[in-house]
Amino acid sequence: MAEVEETLKRIQGQKGVQGIIIVNAEGIPIKTTLDNSSTVQYAGLIHQLVMKARTTVRDIDPQNDLTFLRVRSKKNEIMIAPDKDYFLIVIQNPSD
Amino acid sequence: MPVVHKTGTVKSKQGSNTQSQKAPTAKTAKAASKKKDEEDGTEMGEGDEWMQGKTLIKPLDQLDLTEAELKEEFTRILTANNPHAPQNIVRYSFKERSYKPISSVDQLAVHFVLEGNLLHQDSDEARRQRAKQGLPEEKATVETAVAEKPETPAAGGEDAGDVEEGGGEERADSVESKAGKKEQKITNQFNFSERASQTLNNPLRERGCQTEPPPRANFSATANQWEIYDVYLEVLQKQEKNKEKAKAVPKKDDDKGKKKMMLVETQSDDITKVAKVAKIIERMVNQNTFDDIAQDFKYFEDASDEYREQEGTLLPLWKFQYDKAKRLSVTALCWNESYKDLFAVGLGSYDFTKQGRGMLVFYSLKNSTFPEYIYPTTSGILCLDIHKHLPYLVAVGFYDGCVAVYNLKEETLQPIYKSTAKSGKHTDPVWQVKWQKDDMDNNHNFFSVSSDGRVVSWTLVKNELVFTDIIKLSLAGAVSEGPEGVQLPIMACGTSFDFHKQIDYLFLVGTEEGKIHKCSKAYSSQFLETYNAHNMAVDAVKWNHFHTKVFISCSSDWTVKIWDHTIKTPMFTFDLNASVGDVAWSPYSSTVFAAVTTDGKVHTFDLSINKYEAICQQPVVAKKKTKLTHIEFNPVYPIIIVGDDRGYVTSLKLSPNLRKKPKEKKGQELPKGPEVEIAKMEKLLSLLREPENSNA
């Protein structure tokens, strides 16, 4: 448990990381470093995206599964790593 | 019934006019006076009569008629004609299609109608009513029966008697009731009053109750191919589990324990489940942060190498450091054969005075900020080796003489095996460990060499570490006086060793005295050969990856020497101006090797290009005081890792010049494989040998 906390701290301490959100399978954020409104917005929107991406990958080959998803935009990069029950969202601005 | 006017004629004469006038006037006066005063009516009426007897009073609205008119006779006829009936009713006749007068008009005038409720007693309705009441009819029948009695004496005698008796009884009753009934009848028919009574209505009360609605939950799911696949997998796993359970004897306690465990796990909304995902994310973030390094690692090829004829460069990539390992120096490096991006770092101290704890740390190239695995140890680590086929087994040699084996798959931070004083641990620091092939019983085993002069083979037997002394390094000739006069051979201190790649039993041992012994596993007391290699301790000795005869050695006496094991003198000697910490052959070429020195430089040589000088000499650490201690080539990627005495590990990319493959003539295919390398080396060696042969 402490290891995970440490890992998350390290991620948060990395250069350019703006926020971390942990969302559970139902799309409810359980831990976040951003403010409430942004968190809810991110969680809701990204949940759908992840479901769609996962469905896409698995429909093509059911033995395959989504490992992670990167959404690079002009201002920053959203990295999403899904798990069976949870998924983790990290927003980073790599050029900082 | 309408009252019909009687017809008759009334003739009235004039003479009687006055009378008639009187009468009406009197009447009218009476009426008027009555109307005025009813109270005084009688008196007034009488008064009027008396008065009117004398005078003639005309009412105000009496017609003024002339005498002639007064005398006129009016005939009044009583007819049966209805004066109000219309005389000319016309009806439309459809036959003739015109309006036609009716022949006769009804002259009946109804003056009064009264609906009565009398019934003739013999009418049907009356009979029905009697029947309802019953008695009057019986009475009638009784009477008839009595009358008929004499008529039917015999046959209906009893019956009649009965009837009569019944009748008699009834008669008595009926006499009374008859009158009463008649009266009742009458009352029932005419004097009917309904008496209704109402029972007490209970007040209505509404009572409702509602059960709790069943808990509802929204459920939605999709049926995709992969969902079906998942479910099938789960079912399969469950089946397998069941099979295993059926095979093993289940203990009830264990089951209960398991159940409890299951409950605990499902209750908490754990953050530990995110562990794996967090790791992936961390790597992603790192990749972003160190994006340029990652790109360099993958794609950068120094273009300037084309302009530099022979020289190459080392491009610094990631730098690995761990906070808690800052004061320790890197004492061992080893790449993992199976996971090409994973390498192990052993941390400890070379300083005799500064001995303390140590650490075993594993890094991955994917995450340079934090190690993947960390194992703290009580004593400094001096050497380590990762098993070639089992990437999770790591053998470690300590400064205090112990050897240990770690299993990376285990959660614990303790080694799975550790040698103790009882189990034959070395009495001096263990300088090198190396895994060997599994022995006959398929047990893993490894070798270790230490300053106490022993080369020991350790076998992992079930839970124990069993040791076997392979060889004892004794100084030739030197014998010391031990207690009780026993002559003990002085042990040489082994500082490094290496096993031949192809010939299993052959290995080399470097000692602190500067000698290299070629030994065999079979012979425990004798060396096959001894080379007087260096003036100081041999820090590293390594066989060439391709050429079976060649090995390299380095020492603190600033030299690196290349040998052919059949020849006692070195083929090549290189002086690097500083104490050489480590030397390593490259895995891709038989003629390329690199050495690190204590002045912070990495020297890279390619014998096929330049036999005398390094093609690259590059300082890789910032501070000049840091000494480089170890170097390792990555088996796959063109990078090297260099450890220094401050606990840092730097990774560097080899520029193309350092990775040259032999040029081929045009038209020919590029030969691949180790044969080429061997041939290359052989060529070099032959150049050296010929003069020697010629000399000899």
Side-chain angles (χ1 to χ4, degrees), chain B residues 425-442:
Chain B
K425 79 174 183 73
H426 292 279
T427 49
D428 268 343
V430 179
W431 290 97
Q432 193 97 28
V433 286
K434 269 251 162 20
W435 283 103
Q436 299 299 307
K437 288 184 192 163
D438 287 356
D439 64 3
M440 308 282 253
D441 304 325
N442 284 336

Side-chain angles (χ1 to χ4, degrees), chain B residues 262-425:
Chain B
M262 286 288 290
L263 280 170
V264 166
E265 280 173 19
T266 50
Q267 269 169 10
S268 54
D269 200 20
D270 243 342
I271 208 173
T272 52
K273 288 179 191 172
V274 199
K276 193 183 158 208
V277 186
K279 215 173 191 180
I280 296 176
I281 278 272
E282 200 188 351
R283 287 185 180 183
M284 286 165 78
V285 169
N286 269 313
Q287 192 182 2
N288 271 349
T289 317
F290 299 109
D291 185 41
D292 41 1
I293 297 179
Q295 300 282 342
D296 283 346
F297 161 72
K298 262 278 172 178
Y299 304 117
F300 179 76
E301 300 293 348
D302 201 346
S304 62
D305 265 12
E306 290 174 27
Y307 305 107
R308 272 178 256 154
E309 281 181 7
Q310 292 172 342
E311 287 174 3
T313 50
L314 298 169
L315 179 73
L317 297 172
W318 299 282
K319 201 167 184 194
F320 302 87
Q321 64 191 67
Y322 182 44
D323 284 343
K324 294 183 188 170
K326 263 192 179 158
R327 292 209 192 133
L328 303 167
S329 50
V330 173
T331 53
L333 288 175
C334 187
W335 285 99
N336 192 314
E337 299 286 323
S338 319
Y339 299 101
K340 306 287 183 328
D341 60 293
L342 190 67
F343 64 91
V345 180
L347 296 151
S349 175
Y350 283 124
D351 204 342
F352 180 68
T353 49
K354 287 185 196 169
Q355 283 304 318
R357 56 188 185 86
M359 238 182 221
L360 177 62
V361 167
F362 285 80
Y363 282 100
S364 163
L365 293 179
K366 296 174 187 169
N367 184 352
S368 60
T369 50
F370 199 75
E372 303 288 316
Y373 302 96
I374 306 164
Y375 296 94
T377 58
T378 45
S379 157
I381 294 176
L382 279 182
C383 56
L384 64 88
D385 191 31
I386 301 178
H387 200 285
K388 277 204 170 63
H389 303 291
L390 305 168
Y392 54 88
L393 277 183
V394 182
V396 171
F398 293 98
Y399 197 92
D400 62 359
C402 287
V403 291
V405 178
Y406 284 88
N407 186 337
L408 294 181
K409 280 191 190 173
E410 299 279 319
E411 294 278 331
T412 60
L413 295 175
Q414 297 301 314
I416 51 172
Y417 299 99
K418 194 161 182 186
S419 68
T420 57
K422 276 195 243 169
S423 60
K425 79 174 183 73

